[in-house]
Structures are given as C-alpha cells and as structure tokens.
Amino acid sequence: EMKKSLFALAFIASFVFAASELEKFEKECDGGNMDSCASAAVRYEDRTKKIELLQKSCDGGYGTGCVMLGKEILEENPQKAIELYQKTCNDGNEVGCIMLSNMGMQDDPQKEVERLEKKCNDGDVGSCGFLGALYNDGEKIQKDISKAILYYDKACNGGHELSCGLLSDMYQAGKGVKMDITKAAVYYKKGCDLNSLLSCSNFANFNYYIANDKKKATEYYKKACDLGKNKKNASLIKLSPEFKEIWQKSCDMYEIGK
C-alpha cells in the first residue's frame, strides 16, 4: 500500500511539474520568447494548439520552430513543409537543410547524393556530415562504413561539431568499426573544442572513468555546464529532457570535483 501511495504521489508530482512547466513556457511565449513557444508546443497533446504555437514560433523567427512545424504538417501539406524547410535552410538552419535532403533522397537518392557530394567538396561541412550519416545508416543508399568515416572525419575537421560526436559514438560503441575508446576520446575532444555540450560531457566522462584524470574531467564538466547557458543549448535543454539530464549531470559533476 505504501509503495502504491508513493507511486501515486510521484505520478501527481510529475503531472503538476509538467503542468507548471507548460504554464511557464506559455507565459514566456506570450512575452515574445519564440523558442518558449516551441517548448510549450511539444508539451501539448492537442494538435491544433501545438500547430498554433509552432506557427507563432516560426513567424517570430525561430528556425527550429519552422522545422518542427514542417514535420508536423508534412503528410497533409508537403508543399508548405518544403517551403518551411527551404526557408530555414536558406537562413542557415542545418536541420532544415537535412529535412530537405531527406525529401530529395525519397525522390531520387542518387541525384541527391551527387548534389551533397558537390556541396561537400565545395566546403559545406554540413553536407559532408549528412553524407557520413547516410553511408553509416545504409537505409537510403548502400551502407559503406569506410565512406561514413571519411565524410564524418572531413566534416569534423572542417568544424562540424555533430559529426565529431557521431564519429566518436561509432568508435566508442564499436558500431561497424573496431571499438577504440581512445580514438573516440580524440573526436569527443574535437567536438568539445567546437563547443559541443555533448562532446564536452563525454570527454569529461572519458577522463573521469577511463583515464582517471579527475582534474581534467572537472575542467570539461565545467565547460559542458557553462555551454548550457548559450542560446542554442538553452533551447535544447527546454525541448529535450534527455539533453537536460546530460547537462545537469555535467554541472553536478563539476560541483563535486571543484
């Protein structure tokens, strides 16, 4: 009975917390914070309200809100979704470019790969990274791990933080390659140098748990914690409970180690 009561209390507490969080984001949205409009939208089950908030976020200039809106309306209005992806891609939002490429892969995979290869060779590191992901997944084109590594590495060394992290993950987990924790750490460090919160957190974990260098771990936990304060990561922390948990752990580990 006590366990049931505790479970019920925990459930009620989580519901109240979620409700108060939604209220907070809606208030911030009304005050002109467009990423809070998107954060409120993802917490709504009412699809009409969700679309309304995403539209407001997008109209207010928040690119991620436009991408989320495109994804929400893709099936019923693909043309509008494409326009939203194109707009955000033109504005420099990489996720919008990826969504456009995904649609291109459905229409003509070979043509889209050729387009991405040209952009990659012209110095577009986002296109290099996307090619790495395509060859790694092997869902839309033939899987080729050597090409995945080649494109991820080119993107990472060109300044594409996400590719550094994805390549690290491959080496850490042994996904299609021989597991190599040291090589994973090298790419986590590169990603961290490019101000990737996730890579800094993972590089700190490597130093704490594998290299047994608590001083260096604390230095990188602090960097990961501090990166949570920039605009991009603050938005992700609002949108993703998993991302928020990683950031919070980094802050907690810094407090323990300092």
Side-chain angles (χ1 to χ4, degrees), residues 1 5 40 53 56 63 68 76 89 94 113 132 170-171:
E1 284 299 319
S5 298
L53 285 165
K56 182 175 180 178
M68 292 165 68
E76 66 208 56
C89 183
E94 187 181 338
V113 167
M170 285 177 70
Y171 282 116

Side-chain angles (χ1 to χ4, degrees), residues 28-47:
E28 290 175 357
C29 175
D30 291 339
N33 188 325
M34 294 300 107
D35 66 338
S36 288
C37 297
S39 297
V42 298
R43 286 162 173 80
Y44 263 104
E45 291 186 13
D46 182 336
R47 189 164 180 269

Side-chain angles (χ1 to χ4, degrees), residues 81-82 85-86 88-89 93-117 119 124 126-131 133-134 140-141:
I82 290 170
Y85 296 152
Q86 187 67 66
T88 53
C89 183
N93 186 304
E94 187 181 338
V95 181
C97 298
I98 289 172
M99 297 302 286
L100 269 180
S101 285
N102 271 329
M103 297 186 79
M105 290 298 295
Q106 291 172 13
D107 294 336
D108 190 335
Q110 189 55 45
K111 185 177 178 181
E112 184 60 21
V113 167
E114 288 170 5
R115 187 185 76 84
L116 289 168
E117 284 176 343
K119 288 187 72 177
D124 184 341
S127 293
C128 300
F130 191 51
L131 280 166
L134 288 170
K140 294 171 181 173
I141 57 175

Side-chain angles (χ1 to χ4, degrees), residues 69-78 81-82 85 99 103:
L69 178 60
K71 188 176 179 183
E72 188 66 35
I73 64 170
L74 180 59
E75 286 190 16
E76 66 208 56
N77 195 341
I82 290 170
Y85 296 152
M99 297 302 286
M103 297 186 79

Side-chain angles (χ1 to χ4, degrees), residues 25-224:
F25 288 138
E26 286 197 301
K27 188 175 180 181
E28 290 175 357
C29 175
D30 291 339
N33 188 325
M34 294 300 107
D35 66 338
S36 288
C37 297
S39 297
V42 298
R43 286 162 173 80
Y44 263 104
E45 291 186 13
D46 182 336
R47 189 164 180 269
T48 303
K49 185 67 177 175
K50 181 183 288 189
I51 290 173
E52 178 189 320
L53 285 165
L54 289 175
Q55 185 70 63
K56 182 175 180 178
S57 173
C58 180
D59 291 344
Y62 184 51
T64 301
C66 297
V67 173
M68 292 165 68
L69 178 60
K71 188 176 179 183
E72 188 66 35
I73 64 170
L74 180 59
E75 286 190 16
E76 66 208 56
N77 195 341
Q79 189 53 47
K80 185 177 180 183
I82 290 170
E83 288 169 9
L84 288 166
Y85 296 152
Q86 187 67 66
K87 176 184 180 299
T88 53
C89 183
N90 291 344
D91 290 342
N93 186 304
E94 187 181 338
V95 181
C97 298
I98 289 172
M99 297 302 286
L100 269 180
S101 285
N102 271 329
M103 297 186 79
M105 290 298 295
Q106 291 172 13
D107 294 336
D108 190 335
Q110 189 55 45
K111 185 177 178 181
E112 184 60 21
V113 167
E114 288 170 5
R115 187 185 76 84
L116 289 168
E117 284 176 343
K118 184 179 184 308
K119 288 187 72 177
C120 175
N121 291 332
D122 288 343
D124 184 341
V125 293
S127 293
C128 300
F130 191 51
L131 280 166
L134 288 170
Y135 282 115
N136 188 32
D137 291 341
E139 290 181 8
K140 294 171 181 173
I141 57 175
Q142 187 172 349
K143 192 178 185 75
D144 190 326
I145 294 298
S146 62
K147 282 189 177 181
I149 292 170
L150 175 73
Y151 282 115
Y152 275 150
D153 182 71
K154 186 172 183 178
C156 175
N157 288 319
H160 191 247
E161 61 177 73
L162 180 60
S163 291
C164 300
L166 292 169
L167 191 48
S168 300
D169 290 343
M170 285 177 70
Y171 282 116
Q172 182 170 327
K175 295 177 183 174
V177 294
K178 185 179 178 182
M179 186 183 291
D180 190 331
I181 302 299
T182 304
K183 194 171 279 191
V186 168
Y187 284 103
Y188 281 137
K189 173 68 165 58
K190 287 184 178 186
C192 182
D193 289 344
L194 294 167
N195 293 326
S196 162
L197 188 157
L198 290 176
S199 287
C200 288
S201 177
N202 282 320
F203 187 62
N205 287 336
F206 168 80
N207 281 287
Y208 192 91
Y209 296 107
I210 307 296
N212 199 29
D213 187 337
K214 302 294 193 289
K215 184 178 178 182
K216 185 177 278 191
T218 300
E219 175 190 343
Y220 284 94
Y221 281 132
K222 181 182 187 303
K223 183 170 182 180

